Amino acid sequence: MAVQSVGVIGAGQMGNGIAHVFALAGYDVLLNDISVEAMQAAVATIDKNLDRQVSRGKVSAEDKAAAMARIRTTTEMADIGATDLVIEAATEREDVKNKIFASVLPYLKPETILTSNTSSISITRLASRTDRPERFMGFHFMNPVPVMQLVELIRGIATNEETYKTLVGVVDSLGKISASAEDFPAFIVNRVLVPMMNEAVYVLYEGVGNVRSIDESMKLGANHPMGPLELADFIGLDTCLAIMNVLHDGLADTKYRPCPLLVKYVEAGWLGRKTGRGFYDYRGETPVPTR
């Protein structure tokens, strides 16, 4: 299967990063969102991030201009249907993803590969709601996409070998490294990472340490580049909670119970960097712990 054009559904943090790396690698990219403003913001973000890469000598000005020229936007699913590879990069809610797939299916070419950037939801179950479970896969990029090298490839029970090999080749063409994961809740990275962050929230909840001491302890004591609470804010506390719920529901083990404090922050709308407050308050010049 030759992939030349890519449709990215969802112009948020992950979607704009995915569009960025595909356009830079020479693919024609069609970015879709229900919000025109979100798509305009995504293109502006891609432009700014490419400028940063140019200033650091990682990308030439010519390559940047060519990448930007390869990105188009659309609100129409019919346009997305003409691409060779579709990547759903919407919010981490199964009902939202199923609605997206249902809306794009009537327009897809028979040979189009359909994928989800889900970080935790069953690929087999998502694929079963489509007309092409054999050409459906989990295509999980890490955040921030232009920087992180790993892409998790998750096969559903019906995914065929040709689809898998095609996506391995696509990942190689992006200059990234693929890791194959079995279709179990949260796959590899988030199965290990998110419960660690949830445990850090428990440490805060139980008063063992405050936000600053927890993050500094893991950065200086375990050589982590970011503390677990800082990282949770970066990912989005709503996303962390959604993944913990998938783990708890899917594996029925109490060790995956979301911390009540994490639930409370999400209920308050304090979702991290994207809302200005989470475990840190980002509304000033420097982040300040909220507990």
Side-chain angles (χ1 to χ4, degrees):
M1 286 182 189
V3 174
Q4 295 178 318
S5 58
V6 180
V8 181
I9 302 175
Q13 189 175 42
M14 295 303 295
N16 77 60
I18 292 168
H20 173 142
V21 298
F22 271 95
L24 197 56
Y27 293 89
D28 294 321
V29 177
L30 194 54
L31 183 61
N32 166 272
D33 201 282
I34 57 174
S35 166
V36 173
E37 292 76 15
M39 290 188 291
Q40 291 171 340
V43 171
T45 298
I46 295 167
D47 189 68
K48 181 182 70 176
N49 289 340
L50 281 168
D51 275 340
R52 186 180 296 119
Q53 289 180 306
V54 171
S55 69
R56 292 174 179 173
K58 295 184 177 181
V59 173
S60 70
E62 293 77 15
D63 286 345
K64 182 234 167 169
M68 291 303 300
R70 293 187 192 104
I71 300 171
R72 294 182 297 123
T73 61
T74 181
T75 56
E76 300 298 323
M77 283 295 185
D79 298 333
I80 294 292
T83 60
D84 302 321
L85 167 65
V86 174
I87 305 168
E88 171 274 314
T91 188
E92 192 67 358
R93 283 177 48 195
E94 190 166 348
D95 60 332
V96 171
K97 295 180 185 299
N98 284 330
K99 286 178 183 176
I100 288 170
F101 294 135
S103 65
V104 76
L105 282 176
Y107 306 108
L108 294 180
K109 298 184 296 185
E111 67 274 19
T112 296
I113 296 175
L114 190 55
T115 69
S116 176
N117 184 57
T118 178
S119 53
S120 62
I121 298 168
S122 168
I123 298 304
T124 298
R125 194 165 63 240
L126 290 173
S128 72
R129 310 286 177 85
T130 76
D131 65 349
R132 60 195 65 215
E134 71 286 352
R135 289 190 300 283
F136 190 104
M137 276 193 67
F139 204 24
H140 181 215
F141 288 81
M142 305 296 124
N143 186 29
V145 180
V147 175
M148 302 297 279
Q149 287 296 100
L150 185 73
V151 181
E152 282 184 316
L153 296 180
I154 307 99
R155 279 180 278 198
I157 196 169
T159 305
N160 65 28
E161 189 67 14
E162 185 182 12
T163 298
Y164 170 72
K165 287 182 176 177
T166 298
L167 289 189
V168 168
V170 168
V171 173
D172 288 345
S173 74
L174 299 176
K176 295 188 182 295
I177 297 167
S178 58
S180 295
E182 292 300 316
D183 186 22
F184 288 97
F187 320 129
I188 296 171
V189 173
N190 283 324
R191 172 79 177 264
V192 176
L193 180 65
V194 180
M196 182 201 73
M197 291 186 285
N198 189 58
E199 191 63 27
V201 183
Y202 267 114
V203 170
L204 178 64
Y205 176 63
E206 294 168 5
V208 179
N210 60 28
V211 169
R212 187 83 71 192
S213 64
I214 292 166
D215 277 351
E216 289 301 312
S217 293
M218 293 308 293
K219 285 193 286 188
L220 301 178
N223 205 28
H224 289 194
M226 295 174 72
L229 301 175
E230 181 187 5
L231 181 57
D233 274 357
F234 180 76
I235 292 169
L237 304 190
D238 53 340
T239 299
C240 294
L241 179 58
I243 294 169
M244 286 308 301
N245 282 328
V246 166
L247 282 165
H248 193 229
D249 294 343
L251 298 172
D253 192 322
T254 56
K255 73 180 179 181
Y256 298 117
R257 183 171 71 97
C259 179
L261 184 60
L262 176 61
V263 176
K264 195 63 64 181
Y265 268 72
V266 173
E267 288 175 344
W270 292 18
L271 308 181
R273 284 182 178 269
K274 62 187 174 184
T275 59
R277 277 188 293 189
F279 293 111
Y280 292 86
D281 189 327
Y282 300 92
R283 295 173 297 173
E285 288 188 14
T286 57
V288 178
T290 54
R291 285 180 88 85

